[in-house]
Amino acid sequence: CRKLDARLQPFRAGKRWEQAVKEAAHQGVDLTADWWFEHPKGLNHHTYATYGTAVSEVLVDTLTGQVRVERVDLLMDLGLQINAAVDIGQIQGGFIMALGYMLTEDLKVDDAGKQLNSSSVHYHVPTAYDIPIEFNVSLLEGTPSPAGISGSKSSSEAPLCLVNSVYLAVKEAIYAGREEAGRGGGWFMLDVPLTPERLRQAVGAEPEAMVVP
């Protein structure tokens, strides 16, 4: 604030705030400022860090590579909630955003770096049919933050990290599919996003398995 106030001083005499900002911007004055704050480490190493855990259940069609997220349970430590509804909304939105990165959003570019699938027809963001069928979100109680306002913590996009539970659940299902297909239970590389093509290739089921009895 002090940086911006100093830059605006030449434009503020006898003017309203909006007019001073407009004139400064017109004159090419940089009206942005940044600062990095690192909170002192406590016994818990990072007193402001947010923590969470997740359990996911998925259904994988090993013949088509389709994934359905049956159930997700999330538990987040966000200190004392100033507005629990906002925190839960952030958790839900962040997790679904990450679910798109994990399952459907396959960015493709050509040799020049131009995106090949720039429309929603070919670049698939999560829809209502992609969210978990059962989606449970809980906030850990009685854990005030020693560094936050009123004991709270920022929710932000921390829940993105919890989507790893979906990845690991899908991979466990593929392990089972590979065993059934006679490919053994050894480790295998599985890149993201987990598109049907990648999952079909990972399972390695023979074409004969696609025949309906």
Side-chain angles (χ1 to χ4, degrees), residues 143-201:
T143 56
S145 169
I149 299 173
S150 299
S152 66
K153 293 182 181 180
S154 172
S155 49
S156 188
E157 274 74 46
L160 269 74
C161 304
L162 300 181
V163 81
N164 288 326
S165 64
V166 173
Y167 174 88
L168 295 173
V170 171
K171 194 168 187 182
E172 283 296 320
I174 295 176
Y175 272 121
R178 287 167 66 90
E179 288 271 13
E180 187 175 326
R183 301 189 65 184
W187 182 90
F188 63 95
M189 185 68 186
L190 183 61
D191 294 326
V192 295
L194 304 178
T195 60
E197 297 83 1
R198 284 199 175 103
L199 298 189
R200 278 274 296 114
Q201 186 177 18

Side-chain angles (χ1 to χ4, degrees), residues 76-200:
M76 289 291 298
D77 171 17
L78 297 179
L80 300 181
Q81 292 77 48
I82 295 177
N83 189 323
V86 171
D87 286 340
I88 289 175
Q90 283 290 110
I91 295 170
Q92 292 173 326
F95 188 85
I96 296 303
M97 182 169 69
L99 196 65
Y101 297 155
M102 183 64 66
L103 297 179
T104 61
E105 297 184 47
D106 190 11
L107 180 64
K108 297 179 180 179
V109 297
D110 61 18
D111 294 338
K114 181 180 178 181
Q115 186 173 348
L116 298 175
N117 53 345
S118 58
S119 70
S120 58
V121 176
H122 300 103
Y123 186 86
H124 305 293
V125 298
T127 68
Y129 292 100
D130 298 310
I131 65 175
I133 294 176
E134 184 176 346
F135 195 10
N136 303 312
V137 176
S138 301
L139 299 171
L140 190 64
E141 297 181 1
T143 56
S145 169
I149 299 173
S150 299
S152 66
K153 293 182 181 180
S154 172
S155 49
S156 188
E157 274 74 46
L160 269 74
C161 304
L162 300 181
V163 81
N164 288 326
S165 64
V166 173
Y167 174 88
L168 295 173
V170 171
K171 194 168 187 182
E172 283 296 320
I174 295 176
Y175 272 121
R178 287 167 66 90
E179 288 271 13
E180 187 175 326
R183 301 189 65 184
W187 182 90
F188 63 95
M189 185 68 186
L190 183 61
D191 294 326
V192 295
L194 304 178
T195 60
E197 297 83 1
R198 284 199 175 103
L199 298 189
R200 278 274 296 114

Side-chain angles (χ1 to χ4, degrees), residues 43-66:
L43 294 177
N44 204 21
H45 193 60
H46 292 291
T47 56
Y48 196 80
T50 57
Y51 301 90
T53 186
V55 178
S56 297
E57 178 184 343
V58 301
L59 181 66
V60 179
D61 189 326
T62 56
L63 298 181
T64 65
Q66 295 291 331

